[in-house]
Amino acid sequence: MSKKSLTYILMLAIAFIISLIISEKLVYIAPHLIISASLIVYSLTFLLTAKLNEEIEIKDTKTILKKIVISTIIFYLLMMIINTIHGITDTKEITNALREIFTPNKLTIYKLNIYYPNLINLISSLFIFYLSHNIFSITNEITKDYTSKTISFIISILISFIIDQMIYISLIDFLPLYKSTITLTNYIENLTASFIIVILSSIIMTIIYLITQKRSKN
């Protein structure tokens, strides 16, 4: 595997993990329209997948996506272990900061505090990341034979990103809807806000993709 491919894989994994870390950070884009700040970083993962597809075969991309999901699970398991173990007094502030960022939830079993992430968000994100990026790769592979690389990228990112957010928001909002914590109107507002960012971020990613294409030709 080339050095360029390994760079794209590393950047893809980092961008995905960062999007998970900041998923709880909410941004108001308009009255009653709130999005997660992670969407801005998350859109980069589609661009990096496109660049990766240009370097390796689609079956290898699928394997890499699977390995990123497994690596992310291992990473969070390690964070759970590290944050559950009591450190020395001097590292208390660092430990609390790590717990707040990676494992904000706590479960007490026989006086042992076990710290863990938002499991619904994490599991949903892992499943949807793998699904949507496979859809992106397949769509990109099919459409590039019938149109330009840029048009193929636009079609692929819009289809996969919209599916991604529709499933993600539906899964995340299912329990709040069921418990009447939020209303159907709130659910539609969440979808609307996400779709706005999907369109805007897709435009930005397309511009960046065009720039990278021109540089590669030169």
Side-chain angles (χ1 to χ4, degrees):
M1 190 173 289
S2 67
K3 186 177 179 180
K4 187 182 288 187
S5 298
L6 291 173
T7 301
Y8 288 141
I9 293 169
L10 181 61
M11 291 174 67
L12 177 58
I14 291 172
F16 178 53
I17 290 176
I18 290 175
S19 70
L20 290 174
I21 294 171
I22 63 174
S23 61
E24 301 294 327
K25 178 68 175 177
L26 301 180
V27 178
Y28 289 85
I29 61 172
H32 305 294
L33 295 181
I34 306 170
I35 64 157
S36 170
S38 64
L39 274 179
I40 301 167
V41 179
Y42 189 69
S43 61
L44 279 169
T45 61
F46 291 100
L47 173 63
L48 292 167
T49 302
K51 301 303 295 181
L52 189 59
N53 284 342
E54 294 176 0
E55 301 295 325
I56 61 176
E57 295 183 9
I58 188 171
K59 63 178 182 179
D60 295 323
T61 300
K62 185 176 181 180
T63 302
I64 287 165
L65 290 172
K66 189 182 296 183
K67 287 181 178 179
I68 289 175
V69 169
I70 294 171
S71 299
T72 304
I73 293 171
I74 293 171
F75 171 78
Y76 270 92
L77 285 173
L78 286 173
M79 292 309 302
M80 286 176 63
I81 294 170
I82 291 170
N83 291 337
T84 297
I85 297 172
H86 289 286
I88 59 176
T89 306
D90 291 341
T91 62
K92 187 176 179 180
E93 290 184 5
I94 297 174
T95 302
N96 289 336
L98 288 174
R99 286 171 179 170
E100 186 176 347
I101 294 170
F102 297 104
T103 54
N105 301 298
K106 183 175 72 172
L107 175 66
T108 303
I109 302 178
Y110 295 109
K111 296 182 179 181
L112 174 65
N113 294 325
I114 300 174
Y115 296 87
Y116 61 95
N118 188 321
L119 295 178
I120 294 177
N121 283 4
L122 179 60
I123 294 170
S124 298
S125 297
L126 290 170
F127 166 73
I128 296 166
F129 168 80
Y130 182 73
L131 175 65
S132 64
H133 286 69
N134 269 292
I135 292 173
F136 176 88
S137 295
I138 294 169
T139 307
N140 191 236
E141 183 73 16
I142 294 171
T143 55
K144 72 179 183 180
D145 294 330
Y146 302 98
T147 185
S148 67
K149 285 186 177 181
T150 304
I151 299 300
S152 175
F153 177 80
I154 294 171
I155 293 171
S156 302
I157 193 172
L158 286 175
I159 290 174
S160 55
F161 209 171
I162 288 172
I163 291 173
D164 183 291
Q165 287 305 294
M166 284 182 68
I167 299 175
Y168 179 76
I169 293 173
S170 296
L171 288 175
I172 296 301
D173 286 353
F174 175 76
L175 280 178
L177 274 172
Y178 179 75
K179 294 178 179 179
S180 298
T181 307
I182 65 172
T183 64
L184 185 60
T185 301
N186 297 136
Y187 168 71
I188 295 172
E189 287 173 349
N190 291 339
L191 276 178
T192 303
S194 291
F195 287 165
I196 291 171
I197 299 303
V198 164
I199 300 300
L200 292 176
S201 58
S202 295
I203 292 171
I204 295 170
M205 291 305 111
T206 301
I207 294 170
I208 297 173
Y209 182 75
L210 278 168
I211 294 170
T212 59
Q213 289 297 109
K214 287 181 179 179
R215 285 186 176 179
S216 61
K217 288 178 181 179
N218 296 332

